[in-house]
Amino acid sequence: SVMAFRLISRHNTQWQRLPDCTALTRHRLAVRIMDAVAPQNWKRELVIPARPMTRVRRVRWNCTGDYVCIAGCSNSTAHVTVYQYQNDKLDQVWTCSMGQGEAGAIAWHPTRKTMLAVTSSGNFTALFDLREGTRELMRVTSSDEHIDCRFSPDGSLLATNDMKNHVICTNITTKETVASKEFGFEVNDIDFTKDGKHLCVTAKQSVVLLRLPTLTTLASIHTNTSRTVAMTRDYVGRYMAVSGSDSCVTLIDATEMIAVAQIGEHDEVSRDLSFNHDSTLIALACSSKSFLFTTSGQQVTLISDEAARGPLVDYTCGTSLHFHPHENILATVDPTSTGCSFSVFKLKRS
């Protein structure tokens, strides 16, 4: 088809049609990138040594890469910490306790580098600005624990979802709820389309595209053979990625909103996903280890230098990771025997 030819031309590689049971789209076009060249070799340079933490759920860079945030709990209290990254050093500049429970997902504003939202197991998501201290600028509440939160591309809306599959979109300026709906299927993750006109939610084996503000279904993109788990959008507006409990990661064309490829030959569920700044690499955090692939399907072989040797040398027990918005710098949070550790690495072609 014309669509298939355009995708082939763009990637200059061989394509193979996937079985219908693996990936279906509304255009019935589902292809897999087959790359014949050898795996790429990359070198990891440890920038920030592992810092011991009690329990961390997420790590996220802000829009400029000046700050990196970790969220979790300490002594049964939801805890959020922000570090300033400068000259290959991290300095703690902000910390906040959010009451009993655990802090989970983090969303930085797409243009305001000091604004962020954090979910809490205390059934709310709070909006902060580092310049305003720990004062909450806004709080979105519901009847159950919040799972995720995302800003729209223009930063005007904040979307949240909870354990009861309740999705809420709030205008951060007026603090008014512009969309709210409880779904009859499991919603594990949410994100906006790159133009901000629609909201995407994971649903069973698919990603469902919802109209705003009604949250009615516009289309469904079949991505996995079992339950979808995590979803992310890249920095440049080229791809979205969706992982499932079938260990598959599907790439979705962010313009056409169709599944175009599956990547990652591994047997573990990817619970956190992150594209690098130019969308050529994608990192997958799994239960016992993490993987790095090119978006053309090549698994990347990471060669550790002496400084990087230690508990994270093979990405053992990856929990959360996130790429810097402008460089191939990866922040990781990994479980240890006493809790977890937080590190920052630079990735370079060897």
Side-chain angles (χ1 to χ4, degrees):
S1 68
V2 174
M3 178 66 70
F5 176 78
R6 183 155 62 89
L7 292 172
I8 292 170
S9 300
R10 181 193 307 169
H11 293 281
N12 191 26
T13 185
Q14 297 177 340
W15 296 78
Q16 174 182 317
R17 184 176 295 278
L18 288 174
D20 286 347
C21 63
T22 303
L24 300 175
T25 70
R26 55 195 174 98
H27 294 293
R28 306 294 292 181
L29 174 66
V31 290
R32 182 173 185 171
I33 300 176
M34 306 296 292
D35 216 317
V37 298
Q40 295 182 10
N41 291 329
W42 286 66
K43 183 179 180 180
R44 292 172 53 190
E45 294 183 355
L46 184 63
V47 178
I48 308 297
R51 298 187 175 195
M53 303 285 175
T54 304
R55 179 175 171 82
V56 178
R57 290 274 300 274
R58 281 290 183 268
V59 56
R60 291 292 185 265
W61 293 96
N62 75 331
C63 62
T64 60
D66 295 331
Y67 300 108
V68 61
C69 177
I70 58 174
C73 70
S74 178
N75 299 321
S76 301
T77 300
H79 201 72
V80 187
T81 303
V82 174
Y83 298 90
Q84 185 175 29
Y85 178 72
Q86 192 173 21
N87 299 324
D88 293 343
K89 294 182 180 179
L90 288 179
D91 295 311
Q92 181 176 314
V93 294
W94 188 85
T95 185
C96 179
S97 295
M98 298 173 63
Q100 291 294 308
E102 189 172 54
I106 305 163
W108 286 94
H109 194 277
T111 58
R112 302 180 192 177
K113 71 176 188 177
T114 58
M115 181 175 287
L116 73 161
V118 184
T119 66
S120 167
S121 59
N123 306 350
F124 68 90
T125 296
L127 181 67
F128 300 98
D129 192 313
L130 305 185
R131 299 170 300 179
E132 300 288 335
T134 58
R135 181 176 69 89
E136 292 184 10
L137 304 181
M138 183 181 75
R139 178 179 286 205
V140 180
T141 61
S142 65
S143 60
D144 211 328
E145 176 182 346
H146 284 210
I147 302 174
D148 203 4
C149 60
R150 300 291 176 94
F151 281 102
S152 59
D154 65 359
S156 63
L157 299 180
L158 177 66
T160 63
N161 66 302
D162 67 16
M163 294 289 289
K164 288 186 177 179
N165 310 312
H166 187 190
V167 176
I168 304 171
C169 293
T170 307
N171 185 303
I172 68 169
T173 302
T174 65
K175 300 180 176 57
E176 295 180 352
T177 299
V178 298
S180 177
K181 186 174 182 178
E182 188 170 314
F183 292 90
F185 50 80
E186 186 176 283
V187 178
N188 286 318
D189 213 342
I190 56 176
D191 207 345
F192 289 88
T193 55
K194 72 174 188 178
D195 59 8
K197 294 180 179 179
H198 303 92
L199 187 69
C200 297
V201 300
T202 57
K204 298 180 181 178
Q205 303 168 357
S206 306
V207 170
V208 175
L209 190 63
L210 304 173
R211 294 183 178 90
L212 288 173
T214 59
L215 296 183
T216 54
T217 300
L218 177 64
S220 180
I221 307 165
H222 195 127
T223 59
N224 298 83
T225 58
S226 58
R227 179 175 59 94
T228 48
V229 175
M231 177 169 56
T232 191
R233 179 164 43 88
D234 69 7
Y235 287 112
V236 298
R238 185 180 305 162
Y239 294 121
M240 295 182 72
V242 185
S243 68
S245 55
D246 57 1
S247 304
C248 291
V249 175
T250 301
L251 294 186
I252 296 174
D253 185 297
T255 300
E256 302 288 345
M257 290 307 294
I258 60 172
V260 294
Q262 283 189 334
I263 62 172
E265 296 294 336
H266 56 88
D267 56 1
E268 298 192 43
V269 179
S270 301
R271 303 189 181 279
D272 200 10
L273 314 167
S274 180
F275 289 97
N276 70 334
H277 64 286
D278 60 3
S279 203
T280 57
L281 296 173
I282 182 170
L284 319 176
C286 303
S287 299
S288 66
K289 63 180 69 175
S290 294
F291 302 88
L292 193 65
F293 288 86
T294 66
T295 47
S296 60
Q298 298 168 270
Q299 183 168 350
V300 174
T301 301
L302 294 176
I303 303 175
S304 302
D305 59 13
E306 290 297 324
R309 296 186 184 277
L312 306 183
V313 66
D314 293 317
Y315 275 135
T316 304
C317 299
T319 299
S320 182
L321 43 74
H322 198 231
F323 267 112
H324 190 279
H326 303 299
E327 301 180 63
N328 283 330
I329 298 175
L330 189 65
T332 66
V333 172
D334 299 81
T336 65
S337 59
T338 58
C340 61
S341 60
F342 166 49
S343 304
V344 177
F345 293 91
K346 284 185 178 179
L347 303 178
K348 296 181 179 180
R349 290 289 295 269
S350 62

